[in-house]
Amino acid sequence: MKEKMNCKMANRISIIDYLKSKGYFPAFIKGNDYWYNSPFKSEKKPSFHVNIVLNRWYNFQDGTGSTLIDLVVRLENCNEKEALKLLSNGIFSFHQPVKSTTQQNERIIIKEVKDLSNKYLIEFLKKRKVTLDLGRKYCKEVYYEVDGRTYYAVGFMNNSGGFELRSAFWQGACKPKDITLINNNSQYLCVFEGFFDFLSYLEITKIPEDKFDYLILNSNSNIKEAIKYLINYKEVFFFLDNDDSGDDTFSLVLKVGVNCTDCSGIYEGMKDVNDYLVEVHDNQPQWFIDQFLHLIKFGVLKEERNNNKDRNRGISR
């Protein structure tokens, strides 16, 4: 029996493949970016953009952009249920994640950094269910140049002064690449792969921020750099993506002897904390908090047991 398509499955379908089936082909391709003449309105200069890293579209004519489902609803003038039916009847390939090219990141030149005020970036935060107050506290509005063209994005600064850059239609980073450590002088640390997961955690839990320190890897490849900080904490709580990379990263931390707890089971079935916030949290507002409080208790008890073992070893000597 064929599995019924849902929004999560549908949004894994390649937007490029869907547009091709509708007779739309890119006017030009630049790296991970596909540029089309808008399917919504006649134009001479391509303003409709698809990023194959994110599998997301953005229409510069009116500042809109989102997932494949939203595109089908708009193009077909139908509702979400009808869009799912149309997609389930088509033959499409599924989007395979593509890594943003290092060469592109190396060409980024930061032009201006200021407080968040751009309406499109504010709308982007809203779609990710991050409040503007929280976004302004931890992020900036960054204008950057690539190959002579200026763009803007939500920027999150790392320890070395580089920025992680995110918008509705692109994600990348400017050098130097590094972790971000937020020090509140706590004995306990929460670790996240990306800054939207960190912001989502704050939105969900509402736990006083100074109860923990926070470390955002900004890429799992930075885990070796992070270990020198992790070993200094009584307990480290990991909120990594539910994928092979997240599993491998946590396994590496276990091997080096960090006192740590894997919290990814809280949002099992979701890719990451932000996916949980966007798709599930409104229907289960207390679940994440209750499960995390349980893991905090587990972590503290684990630490106490280890301390008792150490004391007993001392007595036996």
Side-chain angles (χ1 to χ4, degrees):
M1 183 176 177
K2 186 178 179 180
E3 186 178 0
K4 188 176 181 180
M5 182 171 288
N6 56 36
C7 287
K8 189 172 183 180
M9 293 167 61
N11 285 329
R12 287 184 55 235
I13 293 172
S14 167
I15 292 176
I16 301 298
D17 198 25
Y18 169 74
L19 287 171
K20 186 189 297 183
S21 75
K22 302 296 294 181
Y24 296 108
F25 297 89
F28 65 91
I29 300 170
K30 193 170 185 179
N32 299 317
D33 302 313
Y34 284 55
W35 290 89
Y36 295 77
N37 290 319
S38 175
F40 307 126
K41 188 177 179 181
S42 178
E43 64 180 4
K44 294 181 180 180
K45 185 178 179 180
S47 68
F48 186 86
H49 167 271
V50 178
N51 182 274
I52 61 170
V53 175
L54 299 174
N55 197 39
R56 295 289 188 271
W57 62 272
Y58 189 83
N59 184 39
F60 280 88
Q61 280 186 343
D62 57 11
T64 59
S66 190
T67 61
L68 176 59
I69 282 290
D70 294 309
L71 178 60
V72 175
V73 166
R74 186 168 172 183
L75 274 179
E76 304 287 351
N77 193 26
C78 64
N79 59 34
E80 187 177 281
K81 185 177 180 180
E82 291 167 335
L84 287 171
K85 186 175 181 180
L86 286 169
L87 290 171
S88 65
N89 291 333
I91 301 174
F92 303 106
S93 61
F94 282 92
H95 168 67
Q96 298 298 321
V98 182
K99 294 184 178 180
S100 183
T101 63
T102 303
Q103 290 179 338
Q104 188 177 39
N105 290 338
E106 287 176 346
R107 297 199 305 268
I108 294 174
I109 301 171
I110 300 297
K111 305 296 289 184
E112 184 181 5
V113 177
K114 62 180 186 178
D115 292 338
L116 279 165
S117 62
N118 183 294
K119 66 178 182 179
Y120 298 125
L121 296 182
I122 292 171
E123 182 64 24
F124 174 54
L125 287 176
K126 185 178 178 181
K127 286 185 177 180
R128 303 291 289 266
K129 291 201 174 181
V130 174
T131 58
L132 182 56
D133 285 345
L134 195 61
R136 282 177 170 162
K137 181 174 182 178
Y138 289 101
C139 303
K140 291 293 184 181
E141 184 174 309
V142 178
Y143 289 80
Y144 61 96
E145 183 180 292
V146 181
D147 294 340
R149 297 186 66 177
T150 300
Y151 305 89
Y152 52 80
V154 175
F156 182 74
M157 185 179 286
N158 63 40
N159 282 9
S160 297
F163 280 95
E164 295 297 310
L165 301 170
R166 300 290 185 274
S167 69
F169 53 92
W170 190 77
Q171 68 174 11
C174 69
K175 286 189 170 183
K177 187 81 172 175
D178 199 357
I179 64 165
T180 302
L181 179 64
I182 299 171
N183 190 346
N184 293 316
N185 296 315
S186 175
Q187 295 178 315
Y188 300 95
L189 178 72
C190 293
V191 176
F192 304 88
E193 182 172 337
F195 73 87
F196 264 107
D197 294 322
F198 162 60
L199 297 176
S200 298
Y201 159 89
L202 296 179
E203 292 286 0
I204 293 168
T205 64
K206 309 297 183 185
I207 295 173
E209 293 172 34
D210 60 359
K211 293 294 183 183
F212 298 92
D213 286 359
Y214 303 98
L215 190 149
I216 299 85
L217 291 169
N218 296 319
S219 171
N220 284 338
S221 62
N222 288 330
I223 188 61
K224 291 182 180 178
E225 170 65 20
I227 286 173
K228 66 184 180 185
Y229 299 101
L230 305 182
I231 59 177
N232 295 322
Y233 289 89
K234 285 188 174 182
E235 185 71 23
V236 181
F237 299 94
F238 277 84
F239 295 85
L240 301 179
D241 289 5
N242 277 313
D243 57 18
D244 291 342
S245 178
D247 293 343
D248 292 345
T249 300
F250 187 73
S251 296
L252 176 62
V253 173
L254 281 175
K255 288 177 182 177
V256 298
V258 175
N259 293 321
C260 54
T261 299
D262 181 7
C263 299
S264 63
I266 298 174
Y267 44 98
E268 185 177 4
M270 298 287 104
K271 178 181 179 293
D272 53 33
V273 183
N274 185 247
D275 268 9
Y276 177 90
L277 173 62
V278 171
E279 298 188 28
V280 178
H281 180 56
D282 286 347
N283 298 323
Q284 299 180 7
Q286 196 59 35
W287 167 261
F288 192 107
I289 300 168
D290 289 345
Q291 294 302 305
F292 183 42
L293 291 175
H294 172 75
L295 290 175
I296 291 173
K297 185 177 180 181
F298 171 78
V300 172
L301 289 174
K302 182 173 66 174
E303 176 199 337
E304 290 176 353
R305 287 196 298 270
N306 290 338
N307 288 340
N308 287 335
K309 287 180 181 178
D310 290 340
R311 283 195 291 270
N312 291 337
R313 289 193 190 99
I315 293 171
S316 65
R317 292 192 188 99

